Amino acid sequence: MATTSSGFTEAGLRRLHDVLDRHVDSGKIPGVVALVSRGDGAPHVETLGSMRHDGDAPMRRDTIFRMASTSKPVAVSAAMVLLDECRLRLDDTVEEWLPELAGRQVLKTIGSPVDDTVPARRPITVRDILTSTFGLGMDMTMIGTPIMAALFEQGITPNLPVPMPEQDEWMRRLGTLPLMYQPGERWQYQISSDLLGVLVSRVSGQSYDEFLRERIFEPLSMKDTGFYVPADQIHRLPPLYAPDPATGEFQVWDEAEGGRHSTLPAFQGGGGGLNSTADDYHAYFRMLLNHGVHDGQRILSRPAVELMTSNSLTAAQLVDREALARDNVHISFGQGQQGGWGFGMAVRTYRGDYAPVGQFGWDGGAGTSTYADPVNQVVGVLLTQVGTTVPSAVQLANDFWTTLYQALDD
């Protein structure tokens, strides 16, 4: 079987192209940029389709995408810098920097009124935030409960009609809510990652955007990564589509010019909001596979990388997280089936598909999927502009990963 210097077979890469092309030809995915690399081999990049579903400007290797929740594995690196420098410790309580979270109350049951609470058994720690177990999060299976209604009412979750407020006001609103679960008890999605950005900002004395740029993006030459796209580069950002769930008809959720990503947001959260390119994300995930080193420069310590990319959940927490994913596959279109969770990212703890145990990364609701695999030394980045209001983008990502693993040359 013919192989290439990239570590993939020629036939496998042709098949990868054909699979991606089939999705674009279906009319459900206007365009896609995909990057795969293995070890020290040169990345293989595919660009197919167009920036708009009704236009002819082609997708390019340097097209900028809204990374949505694939921001999480990247944005968490700021906290790892602070851990490396001993400016944070895993089991520090957070009240010194986040006094709004002192003296927490916890719901008696998940369906209780928001004032039907008991005192938290212990304070919230840095570890609780890094592992997404501080007690509050987004759970779309609980729509209709008082706590979820209160979360939406306070405007502290992303993608609402009104953008989230600046971080001090965001913290004030967060501090009015009880926790869903006791600190450290259960994995909960999203809010920990946004809270992390506030923690980094307050500990460092810089904005989250500035800290990430100085300590992560600039050293990695991630020149197109940030919380907004400058005006002179906005032409490289396609619109984000949120197709109608009933009809599949394309609807623009966010335009490029004048949209949410055209100016620096008031709230810079670690849960989403980054914009980036395939090459920028490749540099970051390749650095993780290289134990924290990029072009001979150390970005993160080896132990920090090992910690953030290892499962951090207990056996009981794993049971709950796996049940959440498997029992609600119809909501996620099959996302979230990896089992474990590290810091800001999923870590595979069982062989549930073609990827091996130990693969780490995450997916994004704006049509993005980024993972690294230390077993095979593989990085994959899949980017499109179709949100997950319909299954098209998730099915594309599933087919991408299935085909990528068949393309390995051994």
Side-chain angles (χ1 to χ4, degrees), residues 37-192:
S37 77
R38 192 174 190 199
D40 295 328
H44 175 83
V45 179
E46 297 279 354
T47 59
L48 298 97
S50 57
M51 298 270 284
R52 302 187 70 96
H53 85 92
D54 55 355
D56 57 4
M59 280 290 184
R60 297 162 32 124
R61 181 167 178 163
D62 69 349
T63 296
I64 299 171
F65 293 86
R66 299 162 187 81
M67 301 309 293
S69 285
T70 48
S71 302
K72 291 176 171 69
V74 174
V76 73
S77 61
M80 307 314 292
V81 171
L82 295 175
L83 286 172
D84 274 344
E85 295 178 348
C86 299
R87 298 163 74 182
L88 279 177
R89 302 172 195 87
L90 286 170
D91 294 308
D92 282 344
T93 57
V94 299
E95 291 100 325
E96 176 182 351
W97 307 287
L98 306 174
E100 298 92 340
L101 296 184
R104 291 293 79 202
Q105 293 287 309
V106 183
L107 293 176
K108 287 183 179 178
T109 70
I110 196 62
S112 293
V114 294
D115 58 354
D116 186 21
T117 62
V118 296
R121 291 194 290 263
R122 64 164 176 81
I124 295 167
T125 66
V126 172
R127 188 188 302 272
D128 296 329
I129 295 174
L130 284 169
T131 59
S132 295
T133 60
F134 88 99
L136 194 62
M138 294 290 295
D139 187 341
M140 303 312 287
T141 70
M142 296 178 183
I143 295 294
T145 60
I147 186 61
M148 287 299 292
L151 277 173
F152 292 134
E153 182 181 327
Q154 289 294 337
I156 60 173
T157 59
N159 302 329
L160 296 176
V162 178
M164 293 190 290
E166 54 81 27
Q167 65 179 31
D168 289 347
E169 172 60 16
W170 187 88
M171 284 300 307
R172 185 196 68 77
R173 297 182 190 182
L174 184 68
T176 67
L177 299 172
L179 302 181
M180 294 174 167
Y181 298 100
Q182 290 287 341
E185 180 182 359
R186 187 172 175 130
W187 181 84
Q188 290 285 108
Y189 190 55
Q190 180 65 37
I191 295 178
S192 285

Side-chain angles (χ1 to χ4, degrees), residues 2 14 52 56 58 75 79 114 129 145 199 236 250 259 281 334 369:
R14 284 197 301 271
R52 302 187 70 96
D56 57 4
V114 294
I129 295 174
T145 60
L199 179 64
R236 294 166 54 196
F250 284 107
Y281 256 54
S369 183

Side-chain angles (χ1 to χ4, degrees), residues 351-394:
R351 188 71 183 250
D353 56 25
Y354 283 40
V357 170
Q359 185 205 45
F360 56 82
W362 196 226
D363 307 296
T368 53
S369 183
T370 61
Y371 289 86
D373 166 7
V375 176
N376 296 292
Q377 287 295 302
V378 164
V379 173
V381 182
L382 182 79
L383 307 172
T384 186
Q385 75 275 57
V386 179
T388 54
T389 53
V390 292
S392 306
V394 180

Side-chain angles (χ1 to χ4, degrees), residues 220-279:
L220 286 171
S221 298
M222 295 172 68
K223 64 184 188 310
D224 290 315
T225 303
F227 286 102
Y228 76 105
V229 180
D232 62 351
Q233 301 299 319
I234 199 75
H235 62 281
R236 294 166 54 196
L237 180 72
L240 174 61
Y241 295 107
D244 186 303
T247 66
E249 180 182 355
F250 284 107
Q251 298 175 339
V252 175
W253 189 87
D254 186 44
E255 275 288 5
E257 293 189 18
R260 292 189 176 212
H261 294 257
S262 63
T263 58
L264 184 67
F267 185 86
Q268 299 147 31
L274 286 179
N275 306 278
S276 194
T277 62
D279 281 298

